[in-house]
Structures are given as structure tokens and as C-alpha cells.
Amino acid sequence: MAQWTSAVGAAQLARLLTSQQDRPAGPGGKRPPAYRALADGVRLLVLEGRVPVAARLPAERELALALSVSRTTVAAAYEALRSEGFLESRRGAGSWTAVPAGNPLPARGLEPLPPEALGSVIDLGTAALPAPEPWLTRAVQGALEELPPYAHTHGDYPAGLPALRSMIADRYSARGIPTMPEQIMVTTGAMGAMDAICHLFAGRGERIAVESPSYANILQLMREAGARLVPVAMADGLAGWDMDRWRQVLREAAPRLAYVVADFHNPTGALADEDQRRRLVDAARSAGTVLVADETMSELWLDPDLEMPRTVCAFDPAGSTVITVGSASKAFWAGMRIGWVRAAPDVIRSLVAARAYADLGTPVLEQLAVNWLFGTGGWEQAVELRRGQAAENRDALVAAVRRELPGWEFEVPRGGLTLWVRTGGLSGSRLAEAGERVGVRVPSGPRFGVDGAFEGYVRLPFTVGGAVAEEAAVRLAAAARLVESGVSAAGESMRPFVA
């Protein structure tokens, strides 16, 4: 029986490998042999989770043709990987990726750092802040007071608690978008909302248009659902969407679904203007594409003079083209796993019916806590606290990175939680690997792209401030020096494989 559970094609692996660009060797610098560079490239892809463990690799001859190298080079690279524990082979079954005994399995998304590592590693992997107390405690206490009547029921509310659905609908109506409770489904976070939407609208093999770059965990969710991702490049800097590209993709690829983050885009921080929103809704309607607007960052404007554009669903109030996803997890606290979907009533009914085969419903106590926040004004006060904290962290991190890494380039977003940084020609993947060695965890750019894009970027969230932000920048600079030297702390080559 074969030991592999998935497969990576030769062309796909070649794209991933050749995307690992780095600075050229300096004067007198030596590059490793081609087989060693190839082995290091595959190892890095496995460690980052971009090639899964137990994935069957292409045959030696196939990969050699795709990379335009000799079969001897590929054979030697595979042998090196086997000797290091990153590859296993069996005659007749091929070769598949592995990790050496004792190594943790790589994460394919952006999971939080384990609590036991928090004392020694600065975590810049997750864009989430601590809870805005005392509002979390007050919300839970308020929820406990409201719980007794619900405790006498079965506790299953697949569409969400009626009180919370009404509250969320009223909040949209107050923003000038008339909404009925029947247009709302409460979910287990935004990820739960996106999972339900993808399973309803985009079956295996369906096309989904996504911003490029886009949120890594959503991209991975779509891949695992079997979707075919169609990337659409963002406009330069913080300018939002490139509408010419969007119109072309929607017209020519005819994707079933499109996923966008209009408000302080993750990871770039871009804010789409009102004209872009209107034009994208019109283009999606004309193409017959369902447009999913993720507004989980919409309340995190950090500059008080910023005038926010109308939400995307304002240009499709009936919800026939636009499905809106919201969440308490970014604006309030990541541990509050409450999200919601706003769509046409018939779409909500279909999502609720399909949910019976997934998670049945969202925890009642957390729904009551969010309902308490919305109903008492606690939400607005908690989010205001969150904005102040994020703005201070943003300014501290920006100053520290500019001081320690003056060659890195970025634009400062006016909201959200993330900074999208061009790393001066260094490989983001290799910076992430080196960062682990010097005590700072940072996600590389390719996690936010499709097939190896954005190798020259990293994402830095505004999750730390003050002295911790300064130390994070110092450690990032140390990681950059390791990558520039071409040698990791373990003495192994860090040069890219270029065919």
C-alpha cells in the first residue's frame, strides 16, 4: 500500500522551486551544488507546509525535464532528502515527503504559536490582539445572566439565536442597508462562514477568483475544498483593486465565486474606494459570479480623520450578488468565535440546510456575549479600545522596522492589523525559516499567494508594541543577515534553487 496521501506534479513543484528568489552570491561567494540547492528548496517547501507531508513527488525524469536539469541532479537531491529524513521511497510506490523524527509537523495556515513557546519567541504569525478587557469579562457575565431560558431548550440554533440575528440585521439597517433577520446566519467565526459558502457555491473543480495576495487561511480552505483558484493582482501600494484585471477575469474565467477583502485588506492593508466597490459589484452581476465580501476588518480604521466608504453590500442590498461575511474575531477578540453571513433569504436557507452536515450551530453562550455587547454599547467601546491599541502597535512596529531594516519597503495602512513588506530582494520563505532560529515567527509572502507568488515579501501584524516591537525588528534584522550570508544557523545552505 502506498504511503502517500496526495501528489505534487512536476510543473507545480518546478513553479514553487523557481519562485524561491534570493540575493545573488556576493564577491567570492560560492553557490552550493545544484543537487544540494534542489534538496534545500524541497526541504524548505515541506517545512513551510507549502508542499504537504506525505505528498508524492514527481518521478526523477519528470522533475528533471520540468527544471531543465539532469536526472542525476534530481536523483542526488532525492537521495540527500532521504538521508535527512525529508523523503521516503519504496520501489513501485515512488517517493513522498516526510519530516524527520522529532520534528513538529508544519502548519499549512497561520496557527497561533503554542503557549509554551511564548516566552522565547516573538509571535508575528497571527494577526490577533489580546482581549479588550474589561469588556470580555462583562460580556460573558451578561451572557450568563441571559442563559437560563436557553438552557431549557435543545440548544441547537442552526441559523443562530433569533435575538442575535435581529441585532445584526438592525446594525446593517442602521448603516443604510435594510436587512431582515432572515438575511442573517450566525456562524462559528468567519472561517465557518467561508467554509459553508464554499461548499454551497463552489464544488470541487469550480473556479474561485481571489485577490493576489489574499488571506492565507481562506486560500487554504478553498484549496482543500477542491476549488481552482484564479488570482487577480491587487493595484499597486494601497490603491485597492485593479478593476481592469477584475473585469477581464470575471468575463473570461467566469468564476462561480469571487472572494474579496475591501476593508483594510489582509495582508496588504489596502482600502478599496467606493467607486471600485460599485464597479466590482456591477462586473460580478454581469458575469453571474457570486461576490463574497469579507468585512472582518471594517471597523478597524486607525486614523481618526479617515472617512470610510460604504460597505460592498450597499451596492446590492437585496443580496442577490453579494454575500457579506462579518466576524467578532478581529475587531473584538480571536477567542470569540462568532461570525455571520448576510445574503438573500433563499441563500441563507440553503446555507442553514447544508449546515446540518457540518457543525449544526454556533455555541449559545458566545452568541449571547456578542448580543450583550451589541445591545449595551459595549461593542463600540471595546472596538474603540482595540483601535487605539492597534494604532500604537502599528506606529511602534513601523518605526522599529524602518530603523533596523531600512532597505525594506512598505506603505503604512490606515487601518486593519497587517503590514505587507517587500524584503529588499530576500526570500520571504528563508526569512521565515531563519526567524524561527533567532526567536521571531513571521509568515512568508508565498503563504498569501498562489503557486509560489510573493517570495520577496513577509507579513508583519500589529500584534506587539513598545519594547517588544523593537526587539522583533532586531530579530528580523538578525534573520535577514543569516539569509544574506547564505548560511543558516545550522550551517546549511540557504541559497535558492534556480533551474
Side-chain angles (χ1 to χ4, degrees), residues 142-436:
L144 287 171
E145 294 175 1
E146 298 293 330
L147 182 61
Y150 295 93
H152 294 293
T153 73
H154 49 65
D156 287 335
Y157 296 88
L161 294 183
L164 182 55
R165 295 177 73 194
S166 293
M167 186 70 73
I168 294 171
D170 289 346
R171 288 173 64 84
Y172 279 106
S173 296
R175 294 161 66 186
I177 309 154
T179 303
M180 303 178 294
E182 292 80 8
Q183 289 179 264
I184 302 295
M185 180 176 83
V186 181
T187 62
T188 308
M191 290 293 290
M194 285 304 305
D195 183 63
I197 292 167
C198 287
H199 280 89
L200 179 62
F201 285 97
R204 187 164 295 275
E206 292 277 6
R207 293 186 182 92
I208 302 180
V210 295
E211 296 151 325
S212 183
S214 187
Y215 179 39
N217 285 337
I218 293 294
L219 294 180
Q220 190 58 35
L221 182 154
M222 292 173 177
R223 290 187 188 102
E224 293 182 357
R228 298 164 60 190
L229 302 184
V230 182
V232 186
M234 296 287 289
D236 292 337
L238 300 178
W241 300 321
D242 185 323
M243 287 309 306
D244 289 338
R245 289 173 176 163
W246 268 107
R247 279 195 298 270
Q248 180 181 3
V249 167
L250 294 177
R251 182 176 62 250
E252 297 178 358
R256 183 72 181 90
L257 208 64
Y259 169 77
V260 296
V261 184
D263 303 302
F264 311 119
H265 175 259
N266 188 352
T268 68
L271 177 65
D273 64 34
E274 197 159 294
D275 183 59
Q276 289 173 329
R277 296 169 191 236
R278 179 188 295 105
R279 291 163 64 194
L280 184 57
V281 172
D282 289 344
R285 184 182 293 115
S286 297
T289 297
V290 175
L291 181 63
V292 181
D294 183 338
E295 61 174 24
T296 55
M297 297 279 193
S298 64
E299 295 190 62
L300 290 177
W301 63 86
L302 305 185
D303 295 342
D305 61 335
L306 178 62
E307 183 176 345
M308 289 292 293
R310 284 182 289 172
T311 187
V312 176
C313 64
F315 303 100
D316 180 50
S320 58
T321 296
V322 177
I323 296 178
T324 303
V325 171
S327 173
S329 299
K330 293 296 185 186
F332 186 77
W333 183 48
M336 188 68 78
R337 305 306 304 163
I338 298 295
W340 53 86
V341 177
R342 181 196 181 277
D346 61 317
V347 172
I348 294 297
R349 286 193 294 270
S350 296
L351 288 169
V352 171
R355 192 174 192 180
Y357 306 101
D359 64 355
L360 292 178
T362 303
V364 169
L365 188 63
E366 291 185 32
Q367 292 188 71
L368 289 172
V370 172
N371 194 58
W372 183 91
L373 287 166
F374 285 157
T376 62
W379 176 267
E380 285 72 22
Q381 295 182 66
V383 173
E384 184 65 28
L385 183 65
R386 168 70 78 237
R387 291 191 197 109
Q389 184 181 14
E392 289 181 6
N393 288 355
R394 177 195 63 181
D395 296 344
L397 186 64
V398 164
V401 172
R402 282 177 171 165
R403 182 179 62 252
E404 299 294 335
L405 293 150
W408 288 18
E409 302 172 16
F410 54 86
E411 292 190 40
V412 181
R414 305 192 67 185
L417 290 172
T418 59
L419 197 67
W420 185 237
V421 181
R422 188 192 299 269
T423 57
L426 296 180
S427 161
S429 299
R430 295 173 193 281
L431 279 166
E433 183 184 30
E436 296 280 354

Side-chain angles (χ1 to χ4, degrees), residues 38-61:
L38 174 55
D40 289 345
V42 174
R43 174 179 57 83
L44 184 61
L45 291 172
V46 173
L47 288 173
E48 275 219 309
R50 290 163 59 203
V51 168
V53 175
R56 186 179 186 274
L57 295 187
E60 295 170 2
R61 187 184 302 277

Side-chain angles (χ1 to χ4, degrees), residues 458-472:
V458 293
R459 189 195 73 170
L460 305 180
F462 317 142
T463 53
V464 297
V468 180
E470 294 177 6
E471 179 61 22

